[in-house]
Amino acid sequence: MFDHDGNGSVKHKEFIDGLRFLINADLAQKLKFLFNVYDIDGNGILDRKELKLMLISCMEESSLDFSKDTLDAMTDILFKSGDDDNVLNQMFKPPTFVKKKIEISRYCSKNYIKHNLRKVLFLVCYFLMNIGLGVYAAWNYKNSNGFIIVTRISGMNLNFNCMFVCVLMLRKCLTKLRETFVTKILPLDQCILFHKMVGFMIAFWSVVHTLAHIGNAIKWDSDDENLHLWEILFTTKSGIGWVGYSAILTGWALDIIVIIMIVCSLSFIREGGHFQVFYITHMLYIPFWILCIIHASNFWKWFIAPGVLFLGEKLLRSKIMVLARYGKTYIKEVSLFSSGVSLSIGCIWLHVRSAGNWTKRLYEYFQKYNCLIEVKQYEQKEKKSNSINITKKESKEEISETDRNQMRLFDRVIGYTETSKKVKVQCYIDGPYGTPTTGVFDTEHVVLIGAGIGVTPMVSILQSIVYRYKTSKQTYPKCTHAWSDDIPNGLMKLKKQLEMNHIEMNTSSSNDNHVIDMHIFMTAAQKKNDVRGLILQIALDLMYKKENKDLITGLKTKTEPGRPDWNKLFTKISEQKKGRVKVFFCGAPALGKTIKDCCGKFNFAFSKENF
């Protein structure tokens, strides 16, 4: 269509001219262009074969696979609906483009401050504390030279920040605080964010403190002929320090530790498959605090209270204390996914994503583990038909097309199950600790959003909903026990059970009010406003209306293509008026910012899980 001279190749000028034509063309010209895109043989007629070829192309773009029979059924329903004006309008409707508005920084907007007031006030108080301590130190040493004043200002702030960085990691204490009114005053959900911020503040004040000491040493060297600069900076002859005049030497050691901890905690190491490096280098906090006590004569006064709490927490979290309180804990079942390992520990299911060395070794360990009972094993084979076989100990059966597409869909989320094994491996659980989702059952109107691996904690909440609902239906007067069916472990099995309970809860509720609404989005699939997925999505819509079942998952809940339109979804939620709405999110940080901004527009509370 862009090849105007018909030589079989598109030149740069032809491509630019074609784009210019599409931009400036009227509606009729754009419709004609779209028709020519579909009319492969150029005979001016769309036949059944061309529709089928377009469907196959759209399926490849959306990473889906359907059987020949389903593909034929989709082609037939598209072909029979060809005289339907609504379908034709969807097929030949040109894509619409929305111009992005230039907005000011989200952090400077009134809307952001309004919906993050606790966080903003906390930051204001934190920086005012740093400023106040600096002013206090400067006043006490106002008669000293400028270098000494700067060292005292930075030293006072280092005392505070090196203590405060410990407070932010008192996980058991923070968990207890979540159960009190304090959670409405302090932004406890952002403790990890503040921990990172305080870490960078320690690095900043360390640089200032070191440079000021070097400047003071240079001045000292010029005033005192008995001491050389290298002796002041690298020996104990200067007589500075309350423990063996070691302040200068311990200061260099502290600088080295801070550099190692800051660099190894950056995202390119922590999230780049080297989490163990981050973990090991963060263990340097032990010599760091010891050196701080030796280096600064007043630091122990700042550190004694949080230090005692920290040691108490470490003692309570130790393996000895856990064994004494709960006994031995065993992993009972393991499911190996293409994206990680799922561990069953009694009533707890833990999903570990393969993102680094130790997680890959965990996967390899259970892959080689000589299990007690091998429950099931999925094996994908490279064939033209893209068929997948389920291999059991004595029998083989072909996986259904719906299951295959479920695996393709959820392989992007948590991976499809390759092997499930019954095992008995002793393990140690550290926790549980409070998370933002602990407030789910205290919220009037809950919105759960899970993206990618972030689906995992949301599945746990859905399991809890099923359990609580079943328990509420099966309790009896004057009975101290309750009975509940086993909750399925697989995500799709859980989803099917949720759908059954969803129908039951919604039909049994009064005034025809829905109790649960579920939405599934496949971001890899192309939307209707994209030519690459238009025909496929129209066919899926028609098949869904005909069979009242989604072809991708086999569920009654329809899988929507592309990214969700948050404004549209939140508008519907807001119109329901079922009480105060709070959104709980777990997923990529970039998506979290988008959802948080949208929550601000609708005055929804927002809470994010941290990995």
Side-chain angles (χ1 to χ4, degrees), residues 74 120 136 152 178 199 218 244-245 255 270 281 397 435 452 475 488 520 529 553 583 586 595:
M74 293 168 69
V120 172
Y136 174 76
R152 295 306 177 184
R178 287 179 185 276
I218 293 172
Y245 307 121
D255 283 343
R270 183 166 36 86
T281 55
E397 55 178 317
T435 64
T475 54
I520 301 176
N529 60 359
T553 62
V583 176
C586 187
I595 297 173

Side-chain angles (χ1 to χ4, degrees), residues 481-506:
H481 296 82
W483 290 266
S484 180
D485 298 333
D486 291 335
I487 297 175
N489 299 321
L491 182 58
M492 290 310 300
K493 288 182 179 179
L494 172 66
K495 185 72 172 64
K496 289 178 180 178
Q497 181 167 338
L498 275 170
E499 273 202 331
M500 294 175 64
N501 290 299
H502 166 239
I503 295 169
E504 182 182 350
M505 284 187 279
N506 289 340

Side-chain angles (χ1 to χ4, degrees), residues 540-556:
L540 289 174
D541 287 346
L542 293 170
M543 292 295 289
Y544 181 78
K545 290 178 181 177
K546 179 183 177 182
E547 300 184 2
N548 195 26
K549 182 179 72 172
D550 185 68
L551 282 183
I552 298 175
T553 62
L555 305 173
K556 292 187 180 294

Side-chain angles (χ1 to χ4, degrees), residues 267-533:
S267 58
F268 74 92
I269 290 179
R270 183 166 36 86
E271 300 173 3
H274 304 287
F275 184 84
Q276 200 167 7
V277 174
F278 159 74
Y279 177 78
I280 292 172
T281 55
H282 247 58
M283 292 297 104
L284 290 172
Y285 72 82
I286 299 174
F288 176 80
W289 282 330
I290 293 173
L291 287 173
C292 280
I293 294 171
I294 297 172
H295 176 81
S297 58
N298 292 320
F299 178 72
W300 67 272
K301 300 174 185 177
W302 291 83
F303 187 70
I304 188 167
V308 169
L309 289 174
F310 185 82
L311 289 173
E313 283 201 4
K314 281 292 183 182
L315 180 62
L316 289 174
R317 291 166 51 191
S318 64
K319 292 183 180 181
I320 296 174
M321 291 295 294
V322 171
L323 285 173
R325 292 179 65 187
Y326 305 110
K328 294 182 179 180
T329 306
Y330 293 94
I331 299 172
K332 293 183 177 180
E333 187 175 341
V334 173
S335 298
L336 300 179
F337 296 94
S338 58
S339 62
V341 185
S342 181
L343 310 174
S344 173
I345 310 168
C347 298
I348 301 173
W349 273 90
L350 175 67
H351 186 81
V352 182
R353 181 175 60 170
S354 294
N357 295 328
W358 77 269
T359 53
K360 290 178 181 177
R361 287 203 298 270
L362 180 69
Y363 185 95
E364 292 170 357
Y365 173 82
F366 284 110
Q367 194 175 35
K368 298 175 182 178
Y369 187 86
N370 187 15
C371 60
L372 304 175
I373 303 171
E374 188 165 357
V375 180
K376 54 188 174 183
Q377 183 176 1
Y378 295 138
E379 181 182 345
Q380 185 170 359
K381 298 183 178 180
E382 298 287 339
K383 290 184 179 180
K384 289 184 179 180
S385 60
N386 292 324
S387 62
I388 303 174
N389 295 333
I390 301 178
T391 306
K392 295 188 177 179
K393 284 197 170 182
E394 298 180 354
S395 63
K396 292 183 180 181
E397 55 178 317
E398 188 178 350
I399 273 186
S400 68
E401 170 196 321
T402 298
D403 289 338
R404 181 165 63 251
N405 282 312
Q406 287 176 6
M407 291 174 183
R408 286 178 178 270
L409 173 61
F410 287 96
D411 184 46
R412 298 176 179 274
V413 181
I414 60 170
Y416 64 85
T417 305
E418 290 180 345
T419 306
S420 183
K421 300 179 178 180
K422 294 286 186 182
V423 299
K424 188 177 181 180
V425 178
Q426 188 175 350
C427 67
Y428 163 70
I429 298 178
D430 183 18
Y433 301 108
T435 64
T437 52
T438 53
V440 164
F441 295 103
D442 297 324
T443 305
E444 293 178 322
H445 193 161
V446 178
V447 179
L448 303 176
I449 301 175
I453 193 66
V455 168
T456 307
M458 302 308 168
V459 168
S460 300
I461 295 171
L462 293 176
Q463 285 179 323
S464 184
I465 291 172
V466 172
Y467 177 80
R468 290 185 180 215
Y469 176 75
K470 284 182 169 290
T471 302
S472 67
K473 301 294 288 184
Q474 298 180 9
T475 54
Y476 300 93
K478 298 181 180 180
C479 181
T480 58
H481 296 82
W483 290 266
S484 180
D485 298 333
D486 291 335
I487 297 175
N489 299 321
L491 182 58
M492 290 310 300
K493 288 182 179 179
L494 172 66
K495 185 72 172 64
K496 289 178 180 178
Q497 181 167 338
L498 275 170
E499 273 202 331
M500 294 175 64
N501 290 299
H502 166 239
I503 295 169
E504 182 182 350
M505 284 187 279
N506 289 340
T507 54
S508 62
S509 61
S510 59
N511 300 324
D512 297 327
N513 290 325
H514 286 276
V515 177
I516 298 177
D517 287 322
M518 292 181 287
H519 305 271
I520 301 176
F521 291 88
M522 185 177 181
T523 55
Q526 305 299 330
K527 285 187 171 183
K528 285 184 181 179
N529 60 359
D530 193 318
V531 177
R532 296 172 296 174

